[in-house]
Amino acid sequence: MGKAKAKAKQVKGKLKETVGGAVDDKDMQAEGRGEKMAGKAQETAAKAAERLKKSGQ
């Protein structure tokens, strides 16, 4: 997964978290936090893969 898709997942998670808070839906908030964290992890992995590729490994 590329950095752009990972960022999109983070934004989607943040949106779910915000909407969940607005409608007082704890499950939606938790789901949003999970998506946001997963997106951050995927972005970090994509960055690491790019660094390895650039270093010629």
Side-chain angles (χ1 to χ4, degrees), residues 2-23:
K3 287 193 300 185
K5 285 186 179 181
K7 272 290 188 200
K9 191 168 194 166
Q10 289 177 49
V11 171
K12 182 180 171 189
K14 179 64 177 169
L15 181 62
K16 272 188 182 180
E17 186 178 7
T18 302
V19 171
V23 297

Side-chain angles (χ1 to χ4, degrees), residues 9-48:
K9 191 168 194 166
Q10 289 177 49
V11 171
K12 182 180 171 189
K14 179 64 177 169
L15 181 62
K16 272 188 182 180
E17 186 178 7
T18 302
V19 171
V23 297
D24 198 32
D25 185 339
K26 301 295 182 193
D27 290 335
M28 184 183 280
Q29 280 182 303
E31 187 178 326
R33 276 192 297 273
E35 278 188 40
K36 192 168 64 171
M37 290 172 51
K40 285 182 183 183
Q42 289 168 345
E43 182 181 18
T44 301
K47 284 180 182 179

